[in-house]
Amino acid sequence: LEACESGSMFQKKLPDNIKIFATTAANSHESSWGTYCPPNDQVNGYSLNTCLGDLYSVNWMEDADRGVASETLTQQFNTVKNETKQSHVEEFGERDMGNDKADSFWGANKAIPDFRALERDLQVPELKTMSSVDSRDIALTTFYSQYLNSGNDLEKRREYARKLMGEIELRQWSDDIFYKIGTQVMKVNNGVPSEALEGHREPTQFECIRSAVNDFKKTCGQISDYALKHVRILVNLCEITNSPQTISNSIHQICSE
């Protein structure tokens, strides 16, 4: 599974006896990463102004492309884990399935050239890591690259500048609004704000969390890709206070200012 906080989908949830073996790009509280991002996003000499893949997924696909018939799921997991240096790749479910041959899950496969050999030829063996970007920052990276590569077209440059500044402002607004909500709720409950702002509590109060997220969307607006990282603050508030009404009151007050 390739996603930020993807480990949270299976941690303490996926049984180990139902014939399912899962691996994730990250643990339960960190971002996954894009790779081959600007300025290393060129195809045939042309910059696409975006990340060409996800670090974990690219490592997995390149390993699969080699078509090593004897490789097991566990061996593949360890290879991808060792090559994904920016996040913690994890495994869940029925570990005994790790002894199964990896290629038995996608059929016969004719090996194609190892792209890592190309990296060695270019003398940049760490290209994927060097060009990786936190998934929460890909939009910012994309708009910045578009702005830099807009050339002498003033109309395009103006449009990309608008998008870049809009992304920066949205990120700043998200940081501020979640900080205010977390701080206010904790003060109302005589708590320490940092416990909500910095912690990573395991979610158990799902009704409270669902209510808080829905209240935020209705009152403050949709949660952007970047702002999704702050949803953990709502989770922390629910786990610490289990007070949906207090959280809702703070959301309505702060987002209505």
Side-chain angles (χ1 to χ4, degrees):
L1 178 63
E2 172 67 67
C4 294
E5 294 91 30
S6 46
S8 65
M9 297 296 292
F10 303 113
Q11 183 175 297
K12 297 183 180 180
K13 299 178 181 69
L14 182 62
D16 60 3
N17 60 353
I18 59 172
K19 297 297 181 183
I20 294 178
F21 177 77
T23 68
T24 63
N27 62 27
S28 62
H29 57 264
E30 66 184 356
S31 294
S32 60
W33 290 67
T35 190
Y36 298 123
C37 299
N40 296 292
D41 61 333
Q42 294 193 359
V43 176
N44 295 328
Y46 180 75
S47 178
L48 298 184
N49 295 312
T50 188
C51 297
L52 302 184
D54 295 295
L55 185 58
Y56 161 82
S57 296
V58 167
N59 286 332
W60 184 88
M61 287 187 288
E62 289 183 356
D63 180 82
D65 282 342
R66 289 203 306 276
V68 180
S70 62
E71 186 178 49
T72 65
L73 289 174
T74 294
Q75 289 171 330
Q76 183 184 64
F77 166 77
N78 288 329
T79 296
V80 175
K81 179 180 180 179
N82 290 335
E83 294 189 359
T84 306
K85 303 181 187 303
Q86 305 289 51
S87 60
H88 297 84
V89 174
E90 295 192 333
E91 60 180 338
F92 301 91
E94 191 156 342
R95 306 296 175 85
D96 288 345
M97 290 181 64
N99 296 320
D100 294 347
K101 295 294 188 291
D103 67 354
S104 65
F105 291 89
W106 55 75
N109 181 33
K110 183 178 180 181
I112 65 174
D114 183 356
F115 290 109
R116 279 169 289 195
L118 175 60
E119 291 180 14
R120 289 191 294 272
D121 291 342
L122 294 173
Q123 297 184 336
V124 281
E126 298 299 322
L127 178 61
K128 283 179 292 189
T129 299
M130 290 166 51
S131 64
S132 60
V133 170
D134 186 319
S135 291
R136 304 297 189 203
D137 297 331
I138 288 178
L140 183 67
T141 300
T142 296
F143 294 143
Y144 181 60
S145 178
Q146 289 174 334
Y147 176 75
L148 289 181
N149 294 319
S150 56
N152 296 321
D153 189 326
L154 295 182
E155 198 62 37
K156 278 188 176 180
R157 180 175 287 269
R158 188 177 297 111
E159 174 65 14
Y160 292 142
R162 184 189 65 78
K163 290 182 178 180
L164 177 59
M165 294 306 298
E167 176 66 17
I168 293 173
E169 290 172 0
L170 179 60
R171 289 163 65 102
Q172 189 61 52
W173 176 85
S174 300
D175 293 342
D176 290 344
I177 210 76
F178 278 98
Y179 175 84
K180 290 178 180 178
I181 292 170
T183 300
Q184 179 164 306
V185 172
M186 291 301 290
K187 286 183 176 179
V188 169
N189 284 272
N190 298 315
V192 179
S194 61
E195 291 183 8
L197 299 174
E198 300 172 8
H200 294 277
R201 303 230 172 187
E202 182 180 349
T204 60
Q205 304 298 324
F206 294 108
E207 287 302 319
C208 175
I209 295 168
R210 190 175 295 111
S211 174
V213 170
N214 288 336
D215 276 341
F216 186 95
K217 289 180 178 179
K218 291 177 183 177
T219 309
C220 310
Q222 289 298 313
I223 302 175
S224 68
D225 287 346
Y226 170 78
L228 281 171
K229 73 177 188 177
H230 291 316
V231 171
R232 65 177 175 78
I233 294 176
L234 300 181
V235 173
N236 292 338
L237 291 174
C238 283
E239 296 302 321
I240 294 170
T241 70
N242 193 21
S243 179
Q245 191 58 56
T246 301
I247 297 171
S248 178
N249 291 343
S250 293
I251 289 174
H252 282 269
Q253 179 184 338
I254 291 169
C255 287
S256 298
E257 291 178 347

